[in-house]
Amino acid sequence: TADIARALPRGQINGVDSSAEMIQFAQATFPAAEFPNLDFQQMDARALRFPEPFDILFSNAALHWVDDHPAFLEGAARSLKPGGRLIISCGGRGNAQEVFKSLCATLRLKRWRSFFRRLTVPYFFHGPEAYENWLGHYGFTASCVRLADKDAAFPGTAGLAAWLRTTWLPYTQRVPAELREQFIAEVVAHYAAKHPANPAGQLIVRMVRLEIDAVKR
């Protein structure tokens, strides 16, 4: 929000995204005339490169979309000053695993499988072991590399369906628009049968975050 942006430190802050539409949205939401220390650039997370290094590099809920985390870390090391801090929170190993099981069981059904031929993996969930090796290789010393449970509670089947509809686009958009709600409903029904709602009527999804706090040597 604008209030949060105004409360940020007054030094230069750069935001990057691979989507031109998202950069345009950020620039319109935080115009340079009102927020002169904010800059938004279209950039691939696997090829970070800036004219001057930064004190802090922060990524939240984004890197599980990136297929080459070592390339990101190479760019992160290049983009930070010695002593600069790298803070990451993203989906980690085991994230939403039970939802994936319901999704895969549904898309394998005869009425859906033709829409998922040559499907490529859209999410990349790593564990601490891989990151501990990568961080050292790219010149980082880590104070925290861990998986943390962050369960999500959805208000019944409608809530879970809304989450699938808005978040799982690499899967749902493969289904024709006129059939999409039926596909989502079948995934939700499969999940709810395996993981019934709690007494409050909530469907619980086990989410796992990979949390990293490291300093560039």
Side-chain angles (χ1 to χ4, degrees):
T1 67
D3 289 340
I4 293 174
R6 291 188 183 95
L8 291 171
R10 301 317 299 168
Q12 182 62 36
I13 299 172
N14 284 50
V16 302
D17 198 289
S18 62
S19 166
E21 291 81 4
M22 289 302 295
I23 294 300
Q24 291 167 4
F25 175 80
Q27 290 170 337
T29 305
F30 304 103
E34 188 176 353
F35 302 93
N37 65 319
L38 301 185
D39 183 56
F40 302 99
Q41 302 177 48
Q42 185 178 2
M43 189 178 297
D44 191 324
R46 299 167 295 185
L48 297 177
R49 191 174 294 274
F50 300 94
E52 299 292 335
F54 295 94
D55 297 306
I56 297 174
L57 194 156
F58 172 71
S59 177
N60 180 54
L63 287 179
H64 47 262
W65 295 92
V66 175
D67 61 358
D68 191 343
H69 285 218
F72 161 76
L73 288 172
E74 182 178 11
R78 186 169 54 236
S79 303
L80 283 169
K81 300 174 183 177
R85 191 174 174 192
L86 175 67
I87 304 172
I88 296 170
S89 179
C90 63
R93 185 180 61 224
N95 188 54
Q97 186 170 343
E98 296 305 314
V99 174
F100 275 105
K101 289 180 181 178
S102 293
L103 184 67
C104 290
T106 304
L107 63 84
R108 290 192 188 108
L109 296 175
K110 184 177 180 180
R111 59 184 171 276
W112 303 118
R113 69 176 65 138
S114 64
F115 302 120
F116 295 93
R117 292 186 180 128
R118 295 182 292 279
L119 176 67
T120 57
V121 177
Y123 307 116
F124 303 87
F125 300 130
H126 296 287
E129 303 83 3
Y131 253 88
E132 286 168 352
N133 290 330
W134 293 335
L135 287 165
H137 179 76
Y138 291 105
F140 290 97
T141 299
S143 60
C144 174
V145 183
R146 68 178 184 180
L147 292 175
D149 287 339
K150 302 286 185 180
D151 289 355
F154 297 95
T157 56
L160 185 61
W163 181 57
L164 293 175
R165 189 179 301 118
T166 56
T167 305
W168 295 69
L169 300 180
Y171 293 96
T172 59
Q173 288 188 335
R174 281 179 163 260
V175 179
E178 65 273 16
L179 299 174
R180 201 167 293 157
E181 288 303 312
Q182 181 184 345
F183 174 74
I184 292 171
E186 290 190 24
V187 176
V188 169
H190 187 280
Y191 184 87
K194 297 287 185 180
H195 308 278
N198 64 18
Q202 298 171 320
L203 291 174
I204 306 300
V205 175
R206 180 175 180 259
M207 307 291 283
V208 181
R209 286 280 178 168
L210 176 61
E211 298 179 344
I212 296 161
D213 194 339
V215 173
K216 181 184 174 183
R217 295 194 291 268

